[in-house]
mmCIF file of all heavy atoms in Angstrom:
data_model
loop_
_atom_site.group_PDB
_atom_site.id
_atom_site.type_symbol
_atom_site.label_atom_id
_atom_site.label_comp_id
_atom_site.label_asym_id
_atom_site.label_seq_id
_atom_site.Cartn_x
_atom_site.Cartn_y
_atom_site.Cartn_z
ATOM 1 N N ILE A 132 -23.189 40.272 24.591
ATOM 2 C CA ILE A 132 -22.125 40.681 25.396
ATOM 3 C C ILE A 132 -22.483 41.054 26.792
ATOM 4 O O ILE A 132 -21.837 40.702 27.806
ATOM 5 C CB ILE A 132 -21.154 41.693 24.762
ATOM 6 C CG1 ILE A 132 -19.835 41.846 25.518
ATOM 7 C CG2 ILE A 132 -21.800 43.104 24.604
ATOM 8 C CD1 ILE A 132 -18.739 42.453 24.714
ATOM 9 N N GLU A 133 -23.557 41.821 27.006
ATOM 10 C CA GLU A 133 -23.972 42.194 28.401
ATOM 11 C C GLU A 133 -24.322 41.012 29.105
ATOM 12 O O GLU A 133 -24.048 40.921 30.339
ATOM 13 C CB GLU A 133 -25.104 43.239 28.209
ATOM 14 C CG GLU A 133 -24.722 44.614 27.671
ATOM 15 C CD GLU A 133 -23.374 45.191 28.280
ATOM 16 O OE1 GLU A 133 -23.330 45.161 29.579
ATOM 17 O OE2 GLU A 133 -22.577 45.706 27.533
ATOM 18 N N GLU A 134 -25.092 40.045 28.499
ATOM 19 C CA GLU A 134 -25.420 38.706 29.176
ATOM 20 C C GLU A 134 -24.077 38.039 29.617
ATOM 21 O O GLU A 134 -24.024 37.430 30.690
ATOM 22 C CB GLU A 134 -26.213 37.882 28.291
ATOM 23 C CG GLU A 134 -27.695 38.137 28.179
ATOM 24 C CD GLU A 134 -27.912 39.035 26.854
ATOM 25 O OE1 GLU A 134 -27.095 40.017 26.622
ATOM 26 O OE2 GLU A 134 -28.968 38.744 26.231
ATOM 27 N N GLY A 135 -23.033 38.167 28.761
ATOM 28 C CA GLY A 135 -21.765 37.599 29.060
ATOM 29 C C GLY A 135 -21.181 38.102 30.388
ATOM 30 O O GLY A 135 -20.709 37.365 31.226
ATOM 31 N N LYS A 136 -21.344 39.433 30.498
ATOM 32 C CA LYS A 136 -20.724 40.086 31.701
ATOM 33 C C LYS A 136 -21.525 39.639 32.902
ATOM 34 O O LYS A 136 -20.981 39.511 33.999
ATOM 35 C CB LYS A 136 -20.813 41.665 31.430
ATOM 36 C CG LYS A 136 -19.686 42.089 30.421
ATOM 37 C CD LYS A 136 -19.746 43.569 30.232
ATOM 38 C CE LYS A 136 -18.796 43.953 29.102
ATOM 39 N NZ LYS A 136 -18.984 45.363 28.801
ATOM 40 N N ILE A 137 -22.785 39.488 32.767
ATOM 41 C CA ILE A 137 -23.649 39.076 33.870
ATOM 42 C C ILE A 137 -23.327 37.631 34.205
ATOM 43 O O ILE A 137 -23.124 37.258 35.473
ATOM 44 C CB ILE A 137 -25.151 39.187 33.485
ATOM 45 C CG1 ILE A 137 -25.575 40.705 33.363
ATOM 46 C CG2 ILE A 137 -25.986 38.515 34.632
ATOM 47 C CD1 ILE A 137 -26.908 40.948 32.747
ATOM 48 N N PHE A 138 -23.018 36.842 33.229
ATOM 49 C CA PHE A 138 -22.665 35.350 33.536
ATOM 50 C C PHE A 138 -21.253 35.343 34.257
ATOM 51 O O PHE A 138 -21.102 34.569 35.168
ATOM 52 C CB PHE A 138 -22.575 34.638 32.160
ATOM 53 C CG PHE A 138 -22.246 33.186 32.431
ATOM 54 C CD1 PHE A 138 -23.042 32.310 33.172
ATOM 55 C CD2 PHE A 138 -21.060 32.625 31.868
ATOM 56 C CE1 PHE A 138 -22.684 30.929 33.355
ATOM 57 C CE2 PHE A 138 -20.709 31.270 32.100
ATOM 58 C CZ PHE A 138 -21.527 30.446 32.889
ATOM 59 N N LEU A 139 -20.350 36.210 33.861
ATOM 60 C CA LEU A 139 -19.062 36.253 34.491
ATOM 61 C C LEU A 139 -19.223 36.520 35.996
ATOM 62 O O LEU A 139 -18.568 35.985 36.828
ATOM 63 C CB LEU A 139 -18.170 37.387 33.911
ATOM 64 C CG LEU A 139 -17.404 37.056 32.691
ATOM 65 C CD1 LEU A 139 -16.717 38.294 32.082
ATOM 66 C CD2 LEU A 139 -16.336 36.000 32.965
ATOM 67 N N LYS A 140 -20.211 37.366 36.426
ATOM 68 C CA LYS A 140 -20.423 37.740 37.758
ATOM 69 C C LYS A 140 -20.992 36.496 38.571
ATOM 70 O O LYS A 140 -20.768 36.494 39.804
ATOM 71 C CB LYS A 140 -21.413 38.885 37.888
ATOM 72 C CG LYS A 140 -20.750 40.210 37.382
ATOM 73 C CD LYS A 140 -21.566 41.419 37.913
ATOM 74 C CE LYS A 140 -20.923 42.690 37.426
ATOM 75 N NZ LYS A 140 -21.103 42.940 36.009
ATOM 76 N N THR A 141 -21.533 35.593 37.980
ATOM 77 C CA THR A 141 -22.073 34.407 38.672
ATOM 78 C C THR A 141 -20.935 33.403 38.921
ATOM 79 O O THR A 141 -21.155 32.476 39.708
ATOM 80 C CB THR A 141 -23.237 33.646 37.768
ATOM 81 O OG1 THR A 141 -22.501 33.027 36.661
ATOM 82 C CG2 THR A 141 -24.264 34.624 37.301
ATOM 83 N N LEU A 142 -19.839 33.620 38.254
ATOM 84 C CA LEU A 142 -18.657 32.638 38.483
ATOM 85 C C LEU A 142 -17.685 33.233 39.502
ATOM 86 O O LEU A 142 -17.828 34.488 39.846
ATOM 87 C CB LEU A 142 -17.899 32.514 37.139
ATOM 88 C CG LEU A 142 -18.821 31.889 35.954
ATOM 89 C CD1 LEU A 142 -17.899 31.959 34.678
ATOM 90 C CD2 LEU A 142 -19.173 30.546 36.256
ATOM 91 N N THR A 143 -16.820 32.422 40.034
ATOM 92 C CA THR A 143 -15.692 32.875 40.762
ATOM 93 C C THR A 143 -14.461 32.834 40.070
ATOM 94 O O THR A 143 -14.290 32.028 39.160
ATOM 95 C CB THR A 143 -15.582 32.043 42.081
ATOM 96 O OG1 THR A 143 -15.625 30.647 41.793
ATOM 97 C CG2 THR A 143 -16.824 32.230 43.126
ATOM 98 N N ALA A 144 -13.469 33.681 40.446
ATOM 99 C CA ALA A 144 -12.235 33.721 39.773
ATOM 100 C C ALA A 144 -11.403 32.338 39.960
ATOM 101 O O ALA A 144 -11.637 31.680 40.974
ATOM 102 C CB ALA A 144 -11.300 34.835 40.326
ATOM 103 N N PRO A 145 -10.541 32.017 39.128
ATOM 104 C CA PRO A 145 -10.213 32.638 37.833
ATOM 105 C C PRO A 145 -11.242 32.433 36.737
ATOM 106 O O PRO A 145 -12.004 31.483 36.753
ATOM 107 C CB PRO A 145 -8.873 32.041 37.471
ATOM 108 C CG PRO A 145 -8.806 30.801 38.218
ATOM 109 C CD PRO A 145 -9.641 30.912 39.419
ATOM 110 N N TYR A 146 -11.260 33.334 35.727
ATOM 111 C CA TYR A 146 -12.279 33.315 34.757
ATOM 112 C C TYR A 146 -11.715 32.747 33.475
ATOM 113 O O TYR A 146 -10.558 33.119 33.033
ATOM 114 C CB TYR A 146 -12.857 34.726 34.454
ATOM 115 C CG TYR A 146 -13.429 35.385 35.758
ATOM 116 C CD1 TYR A 146 -12.580 36.189 36.544
ATOM 117 C CD2 TYR A 146 -14.679 34.974 36.174
ATOM 118 C CE1 TYR A 146 -13.077 36.648 37.694
ATOM 119 C CE2 TYR A 146 -15.152 35.579 37.327
ATOM 120 C CZ TYR A 146 -14.374 36.388 38.113
ATOM 121 O OH TYR A 146 -14.883 36.818 39.353
ATOM 122 N N VAL A 147 -12.398 31.798 32.816
ATOM 123 C CA VAL A 147 -11.847 31.135 31.624
ATOM 124 C C VAL A 147 -12.642 31.565 30.419
ATOM 125 O O VAL A 147 -13.859 31.305 30.284
ATOM 126 C CB VAL A 147 -11.986 29.584 31.774
ATOM 127 C CG1 VAL A 147 -11.397 28.888 30.515
ATOM 128 C CG2 VAL A 147 -11.286 29.099 33.015
ATOM 129 N N LEU A 148 -11.997 32.248 29.445
ATOM 130 C CA LEU A 148 -12.647 32.643 28.213
ATOM 131 C C LEU A 148 -11.947 32.046 27.004
ATOM 132 O O LEU A 148 -10.739 31.937 26.935
ATOM 133 C CB LEU A 148 -12.435 34.183 28.059
ATOM 134 C CG LEU A 148 -13.316 35.141 28.968
ATOM 135 C CD1 LEU A 148 -12.834 35.305 30.303
ATOM 136 C CD2 LEU A 148 -13.386 36.526 28.320
ATOM 137 N N LYS A 149 -12.769 31.451 26.181
ATOM 138 C CA LYS A 149 -12.257 30.690 25.016
ATOM 139 C C LYS A 149 -12.860 31.221 23.680
ATOM 140 O O LYS A 149 -14.091 31.238 23.542
ATOM 141 C CB LYS A 149 -12.593 29.214 25.166
ATOM 142 C CG LYS A 149 -11.968 28.578 26.375
ATOM 143 C CD LYS A 149 -12.203 27.027 26.418
ATOM 144 C CE LYS A 149 -11.446 26.394 27.507
ATOM 145 N NZ LYS A 149 -11.586 24.926 27.493
ATOM 146 N N ALA A 150 -11.920 31.628 22.825
ATOM 147 C CA ALA A 150 -12.410 31.906 21.399
ATOM 148 C C ALA A 150 -13.017 30.555 20.905
ATOM 149 O O ALA A 150 -12.352 29.471 21.090
ATOM 150 C CB ALA A 150 -11.200 32.269 20.554
ATOM 151 N N ASP A 151 -14.106 30.673 20.227
ATOM 152 C CA ASP A 151 -14.858 29.512 19.764
ATOM 153 C C ASP A 151 -13.986 28.707 18.698
ATOM 154 O O ASP A 151 -13.979 27.388 18.807
ATOM 155 C CB ASP A 151 -16.192 29.940 19.152
ATOM 156 C CG ASP A 151 -16.967 28.726 18.547
ATOM 157 O OD1 ASP A 151 -17.194 27.758 19.229
ATOM 158 O OD2 ASP A 151 -17.379 28.831 17.396
ATOM 159 N N GLY A 152 -13.437 29.426 17.813
ATOM 160 C CA GLY A 152 -12.714 28.779 16.658
ATOM 161 C C GLY A 152 -11.289 28.482 16.895
ATOM 162 O O GLY A 152 -10.700 28.788 17.936
ATOM 163 N N LEU A 153 -10.667 27.930 15.847
ATOM 164 C CA LEU A 153 -9.210 27.657 15.908
ATOM 165 C C LEU A 153 -8.401 28.941 16.024
ATOM 166 O O LEU A 153 -8.609 29.872 15.279
ATOM 167 C CB LEU A 153 -8.755 26.888 14.707
ATOM 168 C CG LEU A 153 -9.267 25.359 14.455
ATOM 169 C CD1 LEU A 153 -8.629 24.863 13.252
ATOM 170 C CD2 LEU A 153 -9.019 24.592 15.659
ATOM 171 N N ALA A 154 -7.485 28.951 16.952
ATOM 172 C CA ALA A 154 -6.620 30.128 17.158
ATOM 173 C C ALA A 154 -5.242 29.716 17.499
ATOM 174 O O ALA A 154 -4.524 30.341 18.324
ATOM 175 C CB ALA A 154 -7.199 30.967 18.303
ATOM 176 N N ALA A 155 -4.806 28.614 16.804
ATOM 177 C CA ALA A 155 -3.417 28.223 16.899
ATOM 178 C C ALA A 155 -2.902 28.063 18.347
ATOM 179 O O ALA A 155 -1.822 28.336 18.745
ATOM 180 C CB ALA A 155 -2.460 29.091 16.141
#
Side-chain angles (χ1 to χ4, degrees):
I132 189 161
E133 291 313 316
E134 285 95 318
K136 289 179 187 172
I137 294 168
F138 182 62
L139 277 172
K140 290 198 180 71
T141 68
L142 301 172
T143 49
Y146 305 95
V147 183
L148 283 80
K149 299 186 174 184
D151 177 55
L153 289 185

